[in-house]
Amino acid sequence: MVPMRGRVLSSHIYFAWGQFIINPLKSQSSSEDIILISGHISSNLAYKKFNYKNKVQNIDKFKICIFDSSYSREIYFTKAMMLEFYSTLINLATQDDNIHLILKYKGPNENPDNLKELIPSINKLKARNQYTIIDWKTSTFEASRLSDITISLGVNSAGIESALTGKRSIHFDLSLMKNGYPTLYKNLSSSIFINKALLVQSLKNYKNNPSSVPNFGDHNSALKSIDPFQDGKSHIRIGKYFEWFLKNRENGSSMKISMINAAENYSKEFGRENVITNDI
């Protein structure tokens, strides 16, 4: 999946996780010739049993896994948003010593320990054994399994991936991405939050009595839109398309005809609803 907000794409073939990414594509100035729904490319990890060596799994607290994002003044997540995102959750944990935060940051440039404004609060949580930061190279799927619930900044791929593992997943949407993901907003009204106070109260309610907020973080109603296959075999479908395409090329067909014929084979094998073609 390529995050769509602010992106302009153009390609001959575009492989999408599921229908939920198609609407953002259509709203952009993109010009894909053929869009193929193939499922999440790494969803096999959603069902993998990991051999954990991280001590956090043995911590007997309510564990919240946090997924951040890249940030800059030039993009839709700013440093101010990142500080608000982290501060909201750090303050929550500071007020409740039965909460443990697991930080899985996006990359080396996003390490929250680099945000000097947060250091005093982070050090306080570390001293109380309420804060664990894990290697950014750890897969989202593996990190999700360590927690009771996950929270991501905006509607980002990490939050969606954690939902594919079966975890409750919350999106703290500080950048107001509703127009980019209308399908998710429609189906996940109990999982996407804009209001900070409402998010914090809902987290407290869920921690103390999960049944009091039954749909909190539940993505079941949207999983078919996110990945209609959910079988960990996206790579096979993508490979089959290129196998058909290359056979056509080897037989002398033009690139255009080869693309069209391969797409027709894809629709027969994996469902016509998973092939979207434009005028090519």
Side-chain angles (χ1 to χ4, degrees), residues 20-212:
F20 91 100
I21 201 63
I22 304 302
N23 291 333
L25 267 178
K26 291 179 178 178
S27 70
Q28 300 282 328
S29 300
S30 56
S31 56
E32 291 70 31
D33 294 325
I34 299 174
I35 300 173
L36 302 173
I37 294 178
S38 58
H40 190 294
I41 189 64
S42 302
S43 64
N44 59 301
L45 295 176
Y47 322 110
K48 178 180 177 180
K49 292 184 178 180
F50 294 99
N51 182 22
Y52 287 112
K53 297 180 181 179
N54 197 311
K55 62 181 181 180
V56 71
Q57 64 184 317
N58 297 318
I59 295 175
D60 187 22
K61 295 179 183 288
F62 182 74
K63 295 187 280 286
I64 301 173
C65 187
I66 301 173
F67 299 114
D68 62 9
S69 186
S70 299
Y71 61 93
S72 165
R73 291 178 62 183
E74 286 74 39
I75 62 175
Y76 44 89
F77 291 131
T78 64
K79 180 181 178 181
M81 288 181 186
M82 188 65 69
L83 288 171
E84 182 177 0
F85 174 67
Y86 274 121
S87 295
T88 298
L89 299 170
I90 288 172
N91 290 339
L92 174 66
T94 300
Q95 297 167 19
D96 186 340
D97 60 10
N98 197 40
I99 290 177
H100 191 93
L101 302 182
I102 303 169
L103 281 293
K104 197 290 188 184
Y105 54 101
K106 186 178 181 68
N109 295 327
E110 288 77 37
N111 190 330
D113 286 350
N114 295 332
L115 295 170
K116 64 180 184 300
E117 297 91 337
L118 299 176
I119 296 303
S121 299
I122 287 176
N123 287 340
K124 183 181 294 186
L125 290 181
K126 286 180 178 178
R128 291 163 46 173
N129 192 28
Q130 289 182 261
Y131 181 97
T132 297
I133 192 162
I134 60 179
D135 192 330
W136 66 272
K137 296 178 182 178
T138 303
S139 79
T140 299
F141 300 102
E142 184 174 358
S144 300
R145 296 280 186 82
L146 292 168
S147 67
D148 295 293
I149 195 167
T150 71
I151 300 181
S152 57
L153 176 58
V155 182
N156 68 20
S157 56
I160 299 298
E161 288 171 346
S162 66
L164 287 172
T165 70
K167 284 292 179 182
R168 300 289 181 113
S169 179
I170 300 300
H171 309 273
F172 190 11
D173 188 16
L174 293 171
S175 63
L176 305 179
M177 303 177 78
K178 183 174 183 178
N179 291 335
Y181 297 97
T183 303
L184 288 187
Y185 261 80
K186 179 181 178 181
N187 293 303
L188 299 176
S189 59
S190 298
S191 301
I192 302 176
F193 288 81
I194 297 171
N195 184 288
K196 177 169 63 176
L198 181 59
L199 168 64
V200 169
Q201 188 57 54
S202 297
L203 278 168
K204 291 178 179 179
N205 292 343
Y206 182 77
K207 172 184 174 291
N208 296 327
N209 182 13
S211 62
S212 67

